[in-house]
């Protein structure tokens, strides 16, 4: 069961990172009027369209102790390469664009007249964002969180490059499935596949119940 619990732990930590950084990025992108924002938006979305192995290689180059940032981390007692934290980093980077694009779309669909009224009453942009925009876009944020969590839990390509496939350390469920299939242990692999499918379906079903079946229809109901 260790791959199951490790996957849940990695996906949960990655989701926290993605939500905090994603909301910050959406706030900045929706309020910044710089002409080059399209380029930044494309860079943020890049991990969504690149092969995960390419993203994993880029992360390996950044965090390898032989390079500047990796060496700095190592001198401060922090290790990312071939560690559980590497799996968290890989899952966060891969899942981030899904959350970002979903939430940004939801925030753009919010009634801007309400935000303008708050501005006329002297509310700051940060207060408007967290007290008006975010509550009105909660279904989009919930949708993005679910997609990000599921993507983080199923991450394989980037994880195997930066974190490796170390049993009980970095071997998440996708990596364990790969290892079992490679060893010819198809029943063990099938068991983990069932776990992933049941977890994902249960999560989606629960959120559908919470949102009364409007999980991916947040724009019309805002």
């Amino acid at each position: 069961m260790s791959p199951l619990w490790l996957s849940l732990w990695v996906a949960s930590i990655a989701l926290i990172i993605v939500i905090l950084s994603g909301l910050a990025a959406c706030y900045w992108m929706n309020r910044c009027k710089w002409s080059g924002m399209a380029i930044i938006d494309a860079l943020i979305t890049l991990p969504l369209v690149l092969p995960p192995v390419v993203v994993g290689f880029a992360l390996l180059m950044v965090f390898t102790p032989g390079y500047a940032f990796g060496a700095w981390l190592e001198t401060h007692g922090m290790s990312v390469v071939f560690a559980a934290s590497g799996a968290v980093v890989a899952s966060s980077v891969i899942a981030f664009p899904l959350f970002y694009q979903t939430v940004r779309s939801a925030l753009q669909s919010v009634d801007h007249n309400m935000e303008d009224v708050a501005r006329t009453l002297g509310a700051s942009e940060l207060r408007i964002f967290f007290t008006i925009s975010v509550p009105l876009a909660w279904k989009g944020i919930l949708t993005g969180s679910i997609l990000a969590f599921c993507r983080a839990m199923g991450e394989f390509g980037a994880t195997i490059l930066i974190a490796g496939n170390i049993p009980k350390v970095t071997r998440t469920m996708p990596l364990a499935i790969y290892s079992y299939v490679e060893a010819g242990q198809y029943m063990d692999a099938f068991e983990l596949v069932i776990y992933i499918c049941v977890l994902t379906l249960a999560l989606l079903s629960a959120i559908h119940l919470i949102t009364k079946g409007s999980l991916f229809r947040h724009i019309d109901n805002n």
Side-chain angles (χ1 to χ4, degrees):
M1 295 295 290
S2 59
L4 171 61
W5 297 117
L6 182 60
S7 292
L8 291 174
W9 180 82
V10 168
S12 299
I13 300 300
L15 179 61
I16 295 172
I17 295 172
V18 166
I19 290 175
L20 294 177
S21 59
L23 287 176
C26 288
Y27 170 81
W28 185 63
M29 292 292 289
N30 283 348
R31 281 159 175 76
C32 187
K33 304 302 181 183
W34 180 51
S35 58
M37 295 305 291
I39 299 175
I40 297 178
D41 186 71
L43 290 174
I44 292 175
T45 313
L46 196 59
L48 185 64
V49 295
L50 282 177
V53 174
V54 175
V55 178
F57 180 77
L59 292 174
L60 190 63
M61 292 297 99
V62 172
F63 291 102
T64 297
Y67 293 89
F69 186 62
W72 181 84
L73 290 176
E74 189 177 38
T75 58
H76 289 77
M78 292 178 283
S79 178
V80 174
V81 179
F82 300 125
S85 56
V88 173
V89 169
S91 296
S92 301
V93 172
I94 293 296
F96 178 83
L98 277 174
F99 179 86
Y100 166 77
Q101 289 294 347
T102 306
V103 173
R104 191 176 181 204
S105 175
L107 289 171
Q108 288 175 341
S109 69
V110 169
D111 185 1
H112 297 297
N113 291 326
M114 299 183 68
E115 296 177 336
D116 292 337
V117 170
R119 289 188 183 95
T120 61
L121 296 175
S124 66
E125 290 296 324
L126 195 62
R127 184 177 180 182
I128 292 171
F129 181 74
F130 283 106
T131 61
I132 296 177
S133 304
V134 169
L136 290 175
W138 74 271
K139 288 184 181 180
I141 295 172
L142 183 60
T143 301
S145 300
I146 295 168
L147 293 175
F149 182 84
C150 293
R151 185 65 186 88
M153 192 167 60
E155 166 50 31
F156 175 84
T159 302
I160 199 170
L161 276 186
I162 189 173
N165 189 8
I166 307 171
K168 298 184 179 180
V169 178
T170 63
R171 182 173 288 178
T172 56
M173 282 194 289
L175 296 177
I177 291 170
Y178 170 80
S179 299
Y180 286 143
V181 171
E182 194 175 39
Q185 298 174 265
Y186 295 106
M187 290 307 298
D188 291 329
F190 180 72
E191 184 179 356
L192 288 181
V193 169
I194 293 297
Y195 287 151
I196 291 178
C197 291
V198 170
L199 278 170
T200 305
L201 287 174
L203 183 60
L204 290 174
S205 298
I207 301 303
H208 268 289
L209 290 175
I210 293 173
T211 60
K212 298 180 180 180
S214 60
L215 176 61
F216 296 104
R217 289 185 281 111
H218 55 82
I219 293 180
D220 293 336
N221 295 323
N222 279 336

